[in-house]
Short mmCIF file of all heavy atoms in Angstrom, two decimals:
data_model
loop_
_atom_site.label_atom_id
_atom_site.label_comp_id
_atom_site.label_asym_id
_atom_site.label_seq_id
_atom_site.Cartn_x
_atom_site.Cartn_y
_atom_site.Cartn_z
N MET A 117 150.30 166.18 -119.48
CA MET A 117 150.12 167.63 -119.22
C MET A 117 149.33 167.83 -117.99
O MET A 117 148.16 167.42 -117.88
CB MET A 117 149.40 168.25 -120.44
CG MET A 117 149.17 169.75 -120.28
SD MET A 117 148.13 170.45 -121.59
CE MET A 117 148.37 172.25 -121.25
N LYS A 118 149.99 168.48 -117.07
CA LYS A 118 149.28 168.69 -115.74
C LYS A 118 148.65 170.08 -115.77
O LYS A 118 149.27 171.09 -116.09
CB LYS A 118 150.33 168.67 -114.58
CG LYS A 118 149.63 168.74 -113.21
CD LYS A 118 150.59 169.03 -112.13
CE LYS A 118 151.40 167.77 -111.75
NZ LYS A 118 152.32 168.07 -110.57
N ILE A 119 147.37 170.16 -115.50
CA ILE A 119 146.62 171.41 -115.62
C ILE A 119 145.96 171.69 -114.25
O ILE A 119 145.20 170.82 -113.77
CB ILE A 119 145.57 171.39 -116.70
CG1 ILE A 119 146.18 171.05 -118.06
CG2 ILE A 119 144.79 172.70 -116.76
CD1 ILE A 119 145.11 170.93 -119.18
N LEU A 139 137.48 168.26 -121.73
CA LEU A 139 138.89 167.92 -121.80
C LEU A 139 139.04 166.37 -121.49
O LEU A 139 139.83 165.76 -122.13
CB LEU A 139 139.68 168.65 -120.67
CG LEU A 139 139.97 170.10 -121.02
CD1 LEU A 139 140.73 170.81 -119.82
CD2 LEU A 139 140.87 170.26 -122.23
N VAL A 142 138.32 164.62 -124.82
CA VAL A 142 139.40 164.65 -125.80
C VAL A 142 140.63 163.85 -125.33
O VAL A 142 141.40 163.37 -126.16
CB VAL A 142 139.80 166.01 -126.36
CG1 VAL A 142 138.71 166.59 -127.22
CG2 VAL A 142 140.09 166.99 -125.25
N ASP A 143 140.78 163.84 -124.05
CA ASP A 143 141.90 163.14 -123.46
C ASP A 143 141.87 161.66 -123.86
O ASP A 143 142.88 161.09 -124.32
CB ASP A 143 141.82 163.26 -121.92
CG ASP A 143 143.05 162.66 -121.20
OD1 ASP A 143 144.06 162.41 -121.86
OD2 ASP A 143 142.95 162.42 -119.95
N ALA A 144 140.70 161.06 -123.66
CA ALA A 144 140.55 159.69 -124.05
C ALA A 144 140.68 159.53 -125.52
O ALA A 144 141.41 158.57 -126.03
CB ALA A 144 139.09 159.23 -123.64
N ARG A 145 140.09 160.41 -126.37
CA ARG A 145 140.16 160.27 -127.80
C ARG A 145 141.52 160.45 -128.47
O ARG A 145 141.95 159.73 -129.36
CB ARG A 145 139.13 161.23 -128.39
CG ARG A 145 139.18 161.47 -129.90
CD ARG A 145 138.67 160.19 -130.67
NE ARG A 145 138.87 160.42 -132.11
CZ ARG A 145 140.03 160.28 -132.75
NH1 ARG A 145 141.07 159.97 -132.08
NH2 ARG A 145 140.10 160.42 -134.05
N PHE A 146 142.31 161.38 -127.88
CA PHE A 146 143.58 161.75 -128.50
C PHE A 146 144.82 161.29 -127.65
O PHE A 146 145.91 161.70 -127.89
CB PHE A 146 143.66 163.28 -128.76
CG PHE A 146 142.73 163.80 -129.83
CD1 PHE A 146 141.47 164.23 -129.51
CD2 PHE A 146 143.07 163.77 -131.16
CE1 PHE A 146 140.58 164.66 -130.44
CE2 PHE A 146 142.21 164.19 -132.08
CZ PHE A 146 140.92 164.60 -131.79
N ARG A 147 144.52 160.49 -126.66
CA ARG A 147 145.54 159.96 -125.73
C ARG A 147 146.56 161.04 -125.24
O ARG A 147 147.73 161.04 -125.52
CB ARG A 147 146.38 158.90 -126.52
CG ARG A 147 145.56 157.72 -126.91
CD ARG A 147 146.38 156.75 -127.71
NE ARG A 147 145.55 155.65 -128.27
CZ ARG A 147 145.19 154.58 -127.60
NH1 ARG A 147 145.59 154.42 -126.36
NH2 ARG A 147 144.41 153.68 -128.13
N LEU A 148 145.97 162.02 -124.58
CA LEU A 148 146.75 163.18 -124.21
C LEU A 148 147.58 162.94 -122.91
O LEU A 148 148.56 163.58 -122.63
CB LEU A 148 145.89 164.45 -124.05
CG LEU A 148 145.09 164.85 -125.29
CD1 LEU A 148 144.19 166.04 -124.94
CD2 LEU A 148 145.96 165.12 -126.46
N GLY A 149 146.97 162.06 -122.02
CA GLY A 149 147.54 161.90 -120.70
C GLY A 149 147.38 163.09 -119.82
O GLY A 149 148.35 163.59 -119.21
N LEU A 150 146.16 163.72 -119.82
CA LEU A 150 145.94 164.88 -119.01
C LEU A 150 145.83 164.58 -117.52
O LEU A 150 145.25 163.52 -117.14
CB LEU A 150 144.66 165.58 -119.42
CG LEU A 150 144.60 166.15 -120.86
CD1 LEU A 150 143.24 166.88 -121.04
CD2 LEU A 150 145.68 167.13 -121.13
N ASP A 151 146.37 165.44 -116.67
CA ASP A 151 146.29 165.31 -115.24
C ASP A 151 145.62 166.60 -114.74
O ASP A 151 146.27 167.60 -114.68
CB ASP A 151 147.67 165.11 -114.68
CG ASP A 151 147.67 165.08 -113.17
OD1 ASP A 151 146.56 165.05 -112.58
OD2 ASP A 151 148.82 165.07 -112.55
N LEU A 152 144.25 166.54 -114.56
CA LEU A 152 143.50 167.81 -114.18
C LEU A 152 143.45 167.86 -112.64
O LEU A 152 142.91 166.97 -111.99
CB LEU A 152 142.12 167.72 -114.77
CG LEU A 152 141.99 167.52 -116.30
CD1 LEU A 152 140.54 167.47 -116.73
CD2 LEU A 152 142.72 168.71 -116.99
N ASP A 181 151.72 172.38 -116.13
CA ASP A 181 151.94 172.77 -117.54
C ASP A 181 150.90 173.80 -118.04
O ASP A 181 151.01 174.25 -119.22
CB ASP A 181 151.87 171.50 -118.46
CG ASP A 181 152.93 170.51 -118.03
OD1 ASP A 181 154.11 170.82 -118.10
OD2 ASP A 181 152.57 169.45 -117.55
N GLY A 182 149.93 174.06 -117.22
CA GLY A 182 148.93 175.01 -117.68
C GLY A 182 147.96 175.27 -116.56
O GLY A 182 147.89 174.51 -115.57
N VAL A 406 135.17 176.26 -122.72
CA VAL A 406 135.63 175.05 -123.49
C VAL A 406 136.67 175.49 -124.54
O VAL A 406 137.72 174.91 -124.63
CB VAL A 406 134.42 174.43 -124.20
CG1 VAL A 406 134.82 173.33 -125.17
CG2 VAL A 406 133.40 173.83 -123.18
N CYS A 407 136.37 176.54 -125.27
CA CYS A 407 137.34 176.95 -126.35
C CYS A 407 138.58 177.49 -125.72
O CYS A 407 139.68 177.36 -126.35
CB CYS A 407 136.60 177.95 -127.34
SG CYS A 407 135.30 177.17 -128.26
N SER A 408 138.49 178.20 -124.56
CA SER A 408 139.72 178.62 -123.89
C SER A 408 140.59 177.42 -123.54
O SER A 408 141.83 177.40 -123.75
CB SER A 408 139.39 179.37 -122.63
OG SER A 408 138.58 180.49 -122.91
N ALA A 409 139.99 176.37 -122.99
CA ALA A 409 140.70 175.17 -122.67
C ALA A 409 141.30 174.60 -123.94
O ALA A 409 142.50 174.07 -123.92
CB ALA A 409 139.74 174.13 -122.04
N GLY A 410 140.63 174.61 -125.04
CA GLY A 410 141.15 174.14 -126.34
C GLY A 410 142.39 174.96 -126.79
O GLY A 410 143.37 174.39 -127.25
N MET A 411 142.33 176.28 -126.52
CA MET A 411 143.51 177.11 -126.86
C MET A 411 144.71 176.70 -126.02
O MET A 411 145.87 176.72 -126.47
CB MET A 411 143.19 178.59 -126.62
CG MET A 411 142.17 179.10 -127.64
SD MET A 411 141.73 180.87 -127.23
CE MET A 411 143.16 181.72 -127.88
N LEU A 412 144.45 176.31 -124.75
CA LEU A 412 145.56 175.90 -123.90
C LEU A 412 146.18 174.61 -124.42
O LEU A 412 147.46 174.48 -124.44
CB LEU A 412 145.03 175.65 -122.47
CG LEU A 412 146.04 175.33 -121.40
CD1 LEU A 412 147.05 176.52 -121.18
CD2 LEU A 412 145.35 175.01 -120.05
N LEU A 413 145.39 173.66 -124.91
CA LEU A 413 145.91 172.42 -125.47
C LEU A 413 146.76 172.76 -126.72
O LEU A 413 147.87 172.18 -126.94
CB LEU A 413 144.79 171.46 -125.86
CG LEU A 413 143.91 170.94 -124.75
CD1 LEU A 413 142.94 169.87 -125.32
CD2 LEU A 413 144.77 170.28 -123.63
N THR A 414 146.27 173.65 -127.58
CA THR A 414 147.02 174.02 -128.74
C THR A 414 148.33 174.71 -128.40
O THR A 414 149.40 174.36 -129.00
CB THR A 414 146.15 174.97 -129.63
OG1 THR A 414 144.93 174.31 -129.89
CG2 THR A 414 146.83 175.29 -130.98
N TRP A 415 148.30 175.62 -127.42
CA TRP A 415 149.53 176.26 -126.98
C TRP A 415 150.56 175.20 -126.56
O TRP A 415 151.74 175.30 -126.93
CB TRP A 415 149.17 177.19 -125.81
CG TRP A 415 150.41 177.80 -125.16
CD1 TRP A 415 151.12 178.86 -125.54
CD2 TRP A 415 151.04 177.31 -123.96
NE1 TRP A 415 152.15 179.13 -124.68
CE2 TRP A 415 152.09 178.20 -123.70
CE3 TRP A 415 150.79 176.24 -123.16
CZ2 TRP A 415 152.98 177.98 -122.60
CZ3 TRP A 415 151.61 176.03 -122.05
CH2 TRP A 415 152.71 176.93 -121.77
N TYR A 416 150.11 174.26 -125.77
CA TYR A 416 151.02 173.25 -125.24
C TYR A 416 151.56 172.36 -126.41
O TYR A 416 152.75 172.06 -126.46
CB TYR A 416 150.27 172.38 -124.26
CG TYR A 416 151.12 171.33 -123.56
CD1 TYR A 416 152.08 171.67 -122.55
CD2 TYR A 416 151.01 169.96 -123.95
CE1 TYR A 416 152.79 170.66 -121.96
CE2 TYR A 416 151.79 169.01 -123.35
CZ TYR A 416 152.69 169.34 -122.35
OH TYR A 416 153.45 168.35 -121.74
N GLY A 417 150.67 171.99 -127.34
CA GLY A 417 151.08 171.18 -128.44
C GLY A 417 152.12 171.88 -129.32
O GLY A 417 153.09 171.26 -129.77
N GLN A 418 151.92 173.18 -129.52
CA GLN A 418 152.89 173.95 -130.35
C GLN A 418 154.24 174.05 -129.62
O GLN A 418 155.28 173.88 -130.19
CB GLN A 418 152.35 175.32 -130.66
CG GLN A 418 151.26 175.26 -131.70
CD GLN A 418 150.47 176.60 -131.84
OE1 GLN A 418 150.59 177.48 -131.00
NE2 GLN A 418 149.73 176.71 -132.94
N ARG A 419 154.17 174.28 -128.32
CA ARG A 419 155.36 174.48 -127.54
C ARG A 419 156.19 173.16 -127.43
O ARG A 419 157.39 173.12 -127.59
CB ARG A 419 155.04 174.97 -126.16
CG ARG A 419 156.24 175.68 -125.49
CD ARG A 419 155.93 175.99 -124.08
NE ARG A 419 155.84 174.76 -123.28
CZ ARG A 419 155.83 174.68 -122.00
NH1 ARG A 419 155.96 175.82 -121.32
NH2 ARG A 419 155.76 173.60 -121.31
N GLU A 420 155.50 172.03 -127.28
CA GLU A 420 156.10 170.73 -127.07
C GLU A 420 156.25 169.94 -128.36
O GLU A 420 156.77 168.86 -128.31
CB GLU A 420 155.33 169.92 -126.03
CG GLU A 420 155.18 170.58 -124.68
CD GLU A 420 156.50 170.65 -123.94
OE1 GLU A 420 157.18 169.67 -123.92
OE2 GLU A 420 156.87 171.79 -123.46
N GLY A 421 155.75 170.49 -129.45
CA GLY A 421 155.79 169.71 -130.70
C GLY A 421 154.93 168.47 -130.64
O GLY A 421 155.32 167.39 -131.14
N ARG A 422 153.80 168.53 -130.02
CA ARG A 422 152.87 167.40 -129.81
C ARG A 422 151.62 167.59 -130.64
O ARG A 422 150.72 168.31 -130.25
CB ARG A 422 152.49 167.22 -128.33
CG ARG A 422 153.74 167.07 -127.39
CD ARG A 422 154.20 165.67 -127.26
NE ARG A 422 153.18 164.85 -126.58
CZ ARG A 422 152.98 164.68 -125.29
NH1 ARG A 422 153.76 165.26 -124.43
NH2 ARG A 422 152.05 163.90 -124.81
N GLU A 423 151.65 166.95 -131.84
CA GLU A 423 150.53 167.12 -132.79
C GLU A 423 149.20 166.71 -132.23
O GLU A 423 148.15 167.32 -132.55
CB GLU A 423 150.88 166.30 -134.06
CG GLU A 423 150.04 166.57 -135.26
CD GLU A 423 150.04 168.05 -135.66
OE1 GLU A 423 151.10 168.71 -135.62
OE2 GLU A 423 148.98 168.49 -136.16
N ASN A 424 149.17 165.64 -131.39
CA ASN A 424 147.89 165.23 -130.84
C ASN A 424 147.19 166.27 -129.97
O ASN A 424 145.93 166.38 -129.98
CB ASN A 424 147.95 163.94 -130.10
CG ASN A 424 149.02 163.91 -128.97
OD1 ASN A 424 149.90 164.72 -128.96
ND2 ASN A 424 148.75 163.05 -128.00
N PHE A 425 147.96 167.13 -129.35
CA PHE A 425 147.37 168.22 -128.56
C PHE A 425 146.79 169.26 -129.48
O PHE A 425 145.69 169.86 -129.17
CB PHE A 425 148.38 168.88 -127.61
CG PHE A 425 148.67 168.08 -126.38
CD1 PHE A 425 149.44 166.93 -126.39
CD2 PHE A 425 148.01 168.42 -125.21
CE1 PHE A 425 149.69 166.23 -125.22
CE2 PHE A 425 148.19 167.67 -124.02
CZ PHE A 425 149.04 166.59 -124.02
N ILE A 426 147.50 169.59 -130.61
CA ILE A 426 146.96 170.55 -131.58
C ILE A 426 145.63 169.99 -132.15
O ILE A 426 144.63 170.72 -132.28
CB ILE A 426 148.02 170.86 -132.65
CG1 ILE A 426 149.22 171.46 -131.94
CG2 ILE A 426 147.43 171.75 -133.74
CD1 ILE A 426 150.47 171.56 -132.88
N GLN A 427 145.63 168.71 -132.48
CA GLN A 427 144.40 168.12 -133.02
C GLN A 427 143.27 168.16 -131.97
O GLN A 427 142.10 168.41 -132.36
CB GLN A 427 144.64 166.63 -133.37
CG GLN A 427 145.48 166.48 -134.69
CD GLN A 427 145.97 165.10 -134.85
OE1 GLN A 427 145.81 164.20 -134.03
NE2 GLN A 427 146.67 164.84 -135.96
N ALA A 428 143.59 167.94 -130.75
CA ALA A 428 142.54 167.94 -129.72
C ALA A 428 141.97 169.34 -129.54
O ALA A 428 140.75 169.54 -129.40
CB ALA A 428 143.13 167.44 -128.33
N GLY A 429 142.81 170.35 -129.63
CA GLY A 429 142.36 171.77 -129.55
C GLY A 429 141.42 172.05 -130.70
O GLY A 429 140.37 172.65 -130.55
N HIS A 430 141.79 171.59 -131.87
CA HIS A 430 141.03 171.83 -133.07
C HIS A 430 139.64 171.09 -132.92
O HIS A 430 138.59 171.58 -133.29
CB HIS A 430 141.78 171.22 -134.27
CG HIS A 430 141.15 171.53 -135.57
ND1 HIS A 430 140.98 172.79 -136.12
CD2 HIS A 430 140.65 170.69 -136.50
CE1 HIS A 430 140.37 172.73 -137.27
NE2 HIS A 430 140.10 171.43 -137.51
N ALA A 431 139.68 169.84 -132.37
CA ALA A 431 138.43 169.00 -132.24
C ALA A 431 137.49 169.74 -131.32
O ALA A 431 136.25 169.73 -131.57
CB ALA A 431 138.82 167.65 -131.66
N LEU A 432 137.97 170.41 -130.26
CA LEU A 432 137.10 171.14 -129.37
C LEU A 432 136.39 172.26 -130.13
O LEU A 432 135.19 172.43 -129.96
CB LEU A 432 137.87 171.64 -128.15
CG LEU A 432 138.20 170.63 -127.09
CD1 LEU A 432 139.16 171.26 -126.02
CD2 LEU A 432 136.97 170.05 -126.40
N ASP A 433 137.12 173.00 -130.95
CA ASP A 433 136.62 174.12 -131.72
C ASP A 433 135.54 173.61 -132.68
O ASP A 433 134.49 174.22 -132.86
CB ASP A 433 137.69 174.73 -132.51
CG ASP A 433 138.28 175.95 -131.83
OD1 ASP A 433 137.78 176.31 -130.76
OD2 ASP A 433 139.30 176.50 -132.32
#
Side-chain angles (χ1 to χ4, degrees):
M117 181 188 189
K118 188 194 283 185
I119 303 177
L139 284 178
V142 287
D143 185 16
R145 168 68 186 79
F146 293 92
R147 298 175 187 278
L148 305 177
L150 296 183
D151 175 8
L152 304 177
D181 301 297
V406 171
C407 294
S408 302
M411 291 176 77
L412 185 63
L413 297 185
T414 304
W415 170 84
Y416 182 76
Q418 286 167 345
R419 203 188 66 166
E420 300 293 312
R422 304 271 298 272
E423 192 56 36
N424 56 335
F425 279 82
I426 297 171
Q427 286 169 355
H430 187 65
L432 285 171
D433 266 353

